[in-house]
Amino acid sequence: MPATKIYLDTYGCQMNLYDGELVTSLLDADGFIMTHDEASADVILINTCAVRGHAEQRALGRLRTLAAQKRTRRELVVGVLGCMAENLRENLRDQIPGLDFVVGPDAYRQLPNLIQEQLNGHSGTFHYVHGAPNETYSEVPPLRREGVNAWVAIMRGCDNFCSYCIVPYVRGRERSRSPQEIISEVETAVAQGFPEVTLLGQNVNSYTWPDLDFPDLLGRVAEIKGLKRLQFITSHPKDLSDKLINRMASGGVLGASLHLPAQSGSDRILKAMNRGYTSADYLRIVDKLREAIPGLALTTDLLCGFPGETQEDLCQTLDLIRQARFDDAFTFKYSERPGTAAAKLEDDVPEKVKVERLERMIDLCRQLSHESRQKLVGRKVEVLIENPSPKNSAEWTGRTRCDRVAIVPGNFHRGESVTIKVAEVRGFSLWGNRI
Ligand code: 5AD
Ligand code: SF4
């Protein structure tokens, strides 16, 4: 019998993409063949996100189309993975008749068996599989596509319970992986030819291991031979220590970028969000960071339209944006997630107002982001080369230490480190010749 071909599509954040690599590894180890051709696949897996209603609606639409295909592709197996799988569980059976299984983020070790069962003719029996609460996928080496950056999870789950957020409910309690395991995974990635590693966790700053905190871990990983750049996401302001700032300031392979979600600039809203800091606390951290790390690119997440948010609250967020001078920002409209603490509050900001506020945040952030790139014109920056430019075969693209995309004329190889002088800003990228 020919080997079973599996098509996997992943939505959502970096952690979910990383999980996709774990799934690929688990299936590959069991003899399944991963394919990029959806039409010829025997099994289609959709790895979903649940962070906003919109993400779920998109995934549901996709799944409805796939389930409908089963009328003509009778042997096709369709499974749902990821955060939406864990969020909607058995409800998905009713919403998408024809689905074969639903598997949450901590249950992927069971996937090969589940798929095999379906292929053996048990199709038609729906399964929801709940994961092991302490799962960290020990000894599962992520199977990555080629590239420059390798993701390495240092922890799973989340204990913060920001009132708007579904993640703690779908990804379970926070658990750190052992430093040995993390270091060995980074060493493997470097040996495989990935010069950059991004350490992942819902809140990397609360990484904990006996006698070792996150800055210590960063120090250990930074010493790994052959590693050219080390990044990490996501940091929570309430847990970001001076020790981390000092560690980042030591430079070396540590990139000069930090993603530090602020969410709001209104203390009243931050409290209702259960964020554990005030806007003044946040700005104090920003001051320390900017002083300690010259050239730091500070990025953030901002959320407008949280229940009870007024124009005044929004103005305070715009003030925070101006004062923090974010180099880039991801901006979102609040989306009620059933089951979260905030879902008990009335979602009282009308959609039209949410859109208006979102646009105000976007406009301001765009302007700051443009200014931040312009400031680099004339500067010498180090670029880690990634790919030939899709637009011009005589140029390559890469990313600076502050994680900006840069375009460099010439011929390079992936993973090469070059210094360029920034001549101009082209769209969202820097452009400059090697010096
Ligand atoms: N609605 C809108 N945005 C959300 N985020 C998290 N939960 C929600 C929600 N319910 C945003 C936050 C977070 C980012 C990953 O997604 O800004 O930092
Ligand atoms: Fe990532 Fe959160 Fe979406 Fe899950 S719900 S994929 S953790 S962003």
Side-chain angles (χ1 to χ4, degrees):
M1 219 172 91
T4 304
K5 286 192 279 179
I6 303 191
Y7 177 87
L8 167 69
D9 211 353
T10 296
Y11 296 86
C13 62
Q14 284 88 346
M15 186 60 91
N16 222 30
L17 291 164
Y18 174 82
D19 281 0
E21 296 174 347
L22 294 179
V23 166
T24 303
S25 170
L26 286 162
L27 296 174
D28 177 81
D30 238 66
F32 294 105
I33 305 286
M34 303 306 288
T35 175
H36 297 302
D37 179 28
E38 191 182 323
S40 68
D42 306 295
V43 180
I44 298 181
L45 303 176
I46 307 296
N47 186 14
T48 57
C49 173
V51 80
R52 281 170 288 276
H54 179 66
E56 283 196 348
Q57 288 312 321
R58 265 179 66 203
L60 288 171
R62 178 86 196 277
L63 288 164
R64 272 190 202 102
T65 312
L66 288 172
Q69 282 183 26
K70 289 183 74 168
R71 280 188 228 121
T72 46
R73 290 167 78 181
R74 298 200 78 84
E75 303 298 313
L76 181 66
V77 174
V78 179
V80 191
L81 319 182
C83 296
M84 185 186 81
E86 189 59 42
N87 194 28
L88 302 181
R89 304 179 177 198
E90 286 92 352
N91 292 335
L92 278 168
R93 170 183 33 202
D94 310 323
Q95 291 197 41
I96 321 276
L99 264 194
D100 293 291
F101 53 78
V102 171
V103 179
D106 295 322
Y108 296 147
R109 286 187 201 263
Q110 299 181 52
L111 260 180
N113 276 344
L114 259 177
I115 292 175
Q116 204 52 59
E117 253 182 50
Q118 298 291 335
L119 294 168
N120 290 347
H122 294 250
S123 206
T125 41
F126 173 92
H127 292 277
Y128 156 68
V129 190
H130 185 64
N134 292 322
E135 179 63 273
T136 57
Y137 294 107
S138 243
E139 280 143 52
V140 180
L143 201 61
R144 307 181 170 95
R145 288 194 191 176
E146 60 174 15
V148 164
N149 178 74
W151 292 301
V152 174
I154 63 167
M155 62 215 294
R156 294 182 71 83
C158 183
D159 285 352
N160 291 316
F161 288 94
C162 302
S163 62
Y164 50 81
C165 188
I166 195 74
V167 174
Y169 303 92
V170 294
R171 286 191 168 265
R173 296 290 58 73
E174 185 179 296
R175 58 227 110 105
S176 295
R177 294 177 73 196
S178 81
Q180 292 76 14
E181 211 177 302
I182 295 164
I183 287 165
S184 139
E185 205 168 293
V186 175
E187 284 171 344
T188 307
V190 172
Q192 287 169 340
F194 294 91
E196 177 184 82
V197 163
T198 303
L199 304 179
L200 298 180
Q202 246 69 40
N203 174 6
V204 289
N205 306 105
S206 63
Y207 175 86
T208 170
W209 201 258
D211 302 325
L212 192 104
D213 59 12
F214 180 59
D216 296 331
L217 178 73
L218 268 186
R220 297 269 297 273
V221 174
E223 283 167 8
I224 292 172
K225 266 182 95 172
L227 182 66
K228 288 190 177 164
R229 199 173 283 171
L230 178 58
Q231 321 235 45
F232 52 89
I233 39 170
T234 294
S235 288
H236 194 306
K238 78 177 166 56
D239 298 313
L240 192 135
S241 62
D242 288 350
K243 187 171 168 184
L244 177 72
I245 298 177
N246 292 336
R247 173 70 64 196
M248 289 183 70
S250 67
V253 295
L254 277 164
S257 69
L258 182 73
H259 187 61
L260 191 65
Q263 312 298 2
S264 171
S266 152
D267 290 346
R268 202 174 64 80
I269 296 293
L270 285 169
K271 190 152 192 278
M273 286 177 165
N274 191 29
R275 289 291 287 174
Y277 55 87
T278 62
S279 61
D281 295 334
Y282 187 92
L283 289 169
R284 254 193 303 277
I285 299 173
V286 173
D287 281 346
K288 281 191 202 169
L289 283 163
R290 295 239 187 251
E291 197 180 316
I293 309 158
L296 174 80
L298 182 68
T299 61
T300 200
D301 291 344
L302 297 161
L303 188 52
C304 69
F306 185 85
E309 188 192 67
T310 61
Q311 288 297 345
E312 174 54 26
D313 294 315
L314 195 263
C315 288
Q316 290 174 5
T317 299
L318 297 174
D319 271 346
L320 177 99
I321 298 173
R322 278 185 213 103
Q323 291 183 57
R325 285 173 288 119
F326 291 119
D327 296 275
D328 252 315
F330 298 91
T331 46
F332 306 103
K333 282 182 295 174
Y334 170 71
S335 157
E336 184 177 287
R337 304 284 58 217
T340 60
K344 297 195 183 82
L345 307 170
E346 193 193 342
D347 186 4
D348 56 358
V349 180
E351 179 62 17
K352 196 168 148 272
V353 177
K354 282 185 187 167
V355 172
E356 236 170 66
R357 290 182 186 171
L358 182 70
E359 280 169 1
R360 289 182 69 187
M361 296 200 307
I362 291 175
D363 285 349
L364 179 55
C365 291
R366 243 190 221 144
Q367 181 198 327
L368 290 171
S369 156
H370 178 71
E371 286 170 15
S372 144
R373 274 187 292 271
Q374 282 295 339
K375 264 198 284 189
L376 291 169
V377 173
R379 296 268 181 88
K380 288 179 198 160
V381 295
E382 185 198 316
V383 176
L384 190 58
I385 296 287
E386 290 186 339
N387 291 306
S389 159
K391 291 187 191 149
N392 181 345
S393 61
E395 294 175 339
W396 280 65
T397 66
R399 270 172 309 116
T400 66
R401 285 173 49 78
C402 57
D403 216 24
R404 294 280 185 211
V405 174
I407 305 168
V408 193
N411 222 333
F412 303 97
H413 58 261
R414 179 177 280 162
E416 192 177 350
S417 215
V418 301
T419 303
I420 69 164
K421 184 164 181 196
V422 181
E424 58 183 280
V425 175
R426 288 190 182 172
F428 292 100
S429 310
L430 309 171
W431 187 94
N433 279 300
R434 180 181 196 166
I435 49 168

